[in-house]
Amino acid sequence: MGRKARIPLRPPGDSRGFITGHRQRGRRGAFRAGARPRRGPWRGSRRIDYPRRNRRGALRFVPSWRQLLALSLLCCGGFAALLGYVYSTVHITDVNATARAEANVYYWADGSQMVSVGSINRQNVPLSDIPPSLQNAVVATENSTFYSDPGFSVRGLARAVVNMARGGEVQGGSTITQQYVKNTYLTQDQTLDRKLRELCLAVKLSRSLSKKEILQGYLNTSWFGRNTYGVQAASVAYYGVDAKDLDPSRGALLTALLKGGDFYDPSLSAAHHSRAEARWRYVLDRQVELGYMTPQERAGYTVFPEPRPRSVSTGLAGQTGYLVDVANKFIEKRTGLTAEDLGRGGYRIRTTFDRSKVEQLRRTVESVTTKALDPARRIADRDVQVGAASIRPGDGAVLALYGGSDATKHFANNADTSGVPVGSAFKPFVLAAALQHGVRPGGAAFPRLPVTSDSFYDRTGALTSRGTWLLPGRLEAGSRGFLDGAFPASGPTLRQALVRGDDTTYSRLGGDVGLEEVRDLAVGTGLLPASMAPLEPAFPVGTSTPSAIRMADAYATFADDGRQSDPYSVTAVTFRGAALEGLERPAVRRVMDAEVAREVSDAMRDVAVDAVDPDTMRALPPVVAGRTGDDDRLPATWFVGSTEELSTAVTVFRNKPGQDALLPVTGMGGSGQDRGDFLPLRVWSSYMTAVRPGRSGA
């Protein structure tokens, strides 16, 4: 009693603690001797737990919500820092200095200047001279939040970021302010750098200019097609009036053109007209939807406001406009530039066009048509159109073309148009497919058998070659067929049928080869798939509608032993001293065996001998040619022929301005003409003789 309890000491060698609290700390805490530090959320020395250690399999690579959140914050922070840097470094410069216009300069193949196109067609007007109805139409359709947004659209920006993440172009719903910035200060490139600069400049511009000033600048710098920039120039080009005199209906069409002048100009084609009218209705309906126009006012605009016909700069008169048109199309296809980009000017364009050959082709067409046609006396001689093109075999360079009488009056380029049936000039492709692939007797279940240009269909309908039936099974019951290798009574050989333009023989041959094989070979030689007619029984006899440029290029394939190169018209383009990429010469590829090309060429020489006068044949190197035949009932005539140096296609057809359908060519040139292809044949032979090697084309 009164004595304190003694705490027993540990027995010697006993390492266990007798005090419970001390023992627990020794087990769990960090004070136990030799204990390893506790692993926290970073798993020891690893700062980020990825792949995750406490997961198995593919789940190790699934980040946690904390990791996703941290990554999102990091990305947002980085983007905000980048945006802040760009915002601090971009500056609003002088509008007039950055929007100065330059002309496009086109050069002949020899480097001499062809034409200078420009400067930009633009006349600035104050917003007070732009009708409120037009202003409302633009805001309603282009940027309905224009008067309240800070210069950019959050939704449009998000769409641009998503598109960029998907690997697409960096584009999205740009506001009117952003479009004005792009038109005035920046290029049209769809890059992240340009998009960020556009965004920052739009914000700065919104803080320094009023909405009315921005809208005025946008309407004075936007592209409306027909080489017009700004609403005043567009109003004059489309309606012949000043912008201040536009009514809401005409203003709605100009607003529709902001979506793409070349795509919505109703005068270009029926398809363009349909698109333009649909967009015009949308612009009017959108104004009603947003309260800019009452339904009663909208009901007063039901008739589409047809614009005036297109006009072209006098500098593009004659053949120059057609040459520029072909060059521009090639540039747009190969570089990604748009017509709007080219319209802004500043480009130096070197073409493949040979000045002397272009001039000689023009003179030849005008001379031949003047002598042969008498539109005052013969109705069939009216509305006659000629298209022609010359290609360099083995290369594909377009050396010359004839697109029509005058590019400022006849806008369609006859050398580059599709819609004119090619007729019997298509038959060499059928023969080439037969020689390349053989024929299949009795259908797909039978193996293919070879043919030659001397094969023919006998009286039983069997394709025969050298005393051997190639297509058996068509003999009448009881017939014994060949005896001792003698030929039965037969039709013309494939070579003879090619010369005569025999539709029956080649319709049958195309079916025996296979229409798909014929089409594929024709496309392989350079004809565009879009110009191919439906694969019907008449397909082998020329219902397809290739352009003169493509026909000349395809025949050049035969002249170059089966090697093909797509036609090209531009060799180099520079912009402010920098060369544009994508204009390398098209690759040369083999599309048929050399032996096949030579045999078809040899057969076509018989066509040339039969068609071309002896003096011309003696003046030219060996010629391979195809033409529209006597039996063709198509509303066009063709003659296509090539030498080793030049391949030229000429087509003649009748077309009344404003109508898509072709008129018949029967009786053209007078009833005394014994061949339907006399006019293209005369143009071809006169031109090819004039430009033959060793003779000046002047």
Side-chain angles (χ1 to χ4, degrees), residues 640-657:
V640 190
S642 63
T643 66
E644 292 182 355
E645 293 80 21
L646 196 64
S647 179
T648 300
V650 182
T651 181
V652 177
F653 56 95
R654 294 180 62 220
N655 176 241
K656 188 177 290 294

Side-chain angles (χ1 to χ4, degrees), residues 15 22-38:
S15 61
H22 191 141
R23 184 172 61 249
Q24 290 176 342
R25 288 187 63 192
R27 289 178 180 176
R28 300 179 185 175
F31 304 108
R32 183 165 53 91
R36 296 176 61 186
R38 178 186 175 188

Side-chain angles (χ1 to χ4, degrees), residues 353-690:
F353 304 125
D354 185 306
R355 186 173 191 169
S356 63
K357 288 183 173 61
V358 170
E359 178 61 17
Q360 182 61 55
L361 184 56
R362 180 195 65 80
R363 289 207 305 261
T364 301
V365 171
E366 293 177 355
S367 174
V368 170
T369 54
T370 300
K371 293 177 181 178
L373 304 178
D374 189 356
R377 294 177 52 199
R378 293 189 294 264
I379 295 178
D381 289 353
R382 299 172 188 172
D383 303 311
V384 174
Q385 300 292 335
V386 179
S390 287
I391 298 286
R392 185 164 57 215
D395 181 22
V398 183
L399 301 182
L401 59 83
Y402 181 87
S405 57
D406 190 330
T408 63
K409 300 174 182 177
H410 176 75
F411 303 118
N413 190 340
N414 295 341
D416 195 31
T417 188
S418 61
V420 182
V422 71
S424 290
F426 188 80
K427 290 171 184 172
F429 305 119
V430 183
L431 178 58
L435 299 177
Q436 181 73 31
H437 301 294
V439 293
R440 182 174 280 130
F446 291 84
R448 290 189 177 274
L449 297 173
V451 297
T452 71
S453 59
D454 293 322
S455 301
F456 61 91
Y457 287 96
D458 66 23
R459 64 184 178 183
T460 70
L463 187 58
T464 309
S465 180
R466 302 181 186 280
T468 303
W469 279 317
L470 295 179
L471 295 182
R474 299 183 183 177
L475 295 177
E476 297 178 358
S479 173
R480 297 179 59 190
F482 288 124
L483 291 175
D484 300 326
F487 288 113
S490 66
T493 65
L494 300 182
R495 177 191 297 266
Q496 292 168 338
L498 184 66
V499 176
R500 300 176 187 177
D502 187 334
D503 285 356
T504 301
T505 297
Y506 273 84
S507 293
R508 183 180 296 173
L509 180 63
D512 290 339
V513 175
L515 299 184
E516 293 84 359
E517 283 76 9
V518 173
R519 177 199 59 199
D520 293 346
L521 186 136
V523 170
T525 62
L527 304 189
L528 295 176
S531 69
M532 293 292 99
L535 299 183
E536 299 171 346
F539 176 76
V541 297
T543 54
S544 297
T545 57
S547 68
I549 292 176
R550 288 289 173 169
M551 280 298 288
D553 183 65
Y555 269 56
T557 303
F558 296 118
D560 195 35
D561 288 342
R563 292 182 291 265
Q564 190 271 342
S565 177
D566 286 338
Y568 69 100
S569 54
V570 175
T571 57
V573 177
T574 59
F575 181 71
R576 296 177 182 174
L580 270 64
E581 297 181 354
L583 295 171
E584 300 80 10
R585 292 187 180 183
V588 177
R589 58 195 181 93
R590 178 166 296 282
V591 297
M592 69 182 79
D593 295 340
E595 294 76 12
V596 170
R598 291 167 188 163
E599 187 167 355
V600 175
S601 297
D602 186 62
M604 287 197 291
R605 287 192 185 96
D606 293 344
V607 177
V609 170
D610 178 71
V612 182
D613 63 272
D615 292 338
T616 300
M617 287 299 296
R618 284 192 293 268
L620 292 173
V623 174
V624 297
R627 64 180 174 193
T628 306
D630 293 334
D631 295 335
D632 287 343
R633 296 293 182 264
L634 298 173
T637 60
W638 287 78
F639 194 90
V640 190
S642 63
T643 66
E644 292 182 355
E645 293 80 21
L646 196 64
S647 179
T648 300
V650 182
T651 181
V652 177
F653 56 95
R654 294 180 62 220
N655 176 241
K656 188 177 290 294
Q659 297 182 5
D660 293 333
L662 299 181
L663 301 173
V665 295
T666 305
M668 183 177 62
S671 58
Q673 299 300 332
D674 59 350
R675 292 198 62 91
D677 62 351
F678 83 97
L679 200 56
L681 174 56
R682 289 183 186 176
V683 171
W684 183 91
S685 59
S686 298
Y687 166 72
M688 292 291 282
T689 303

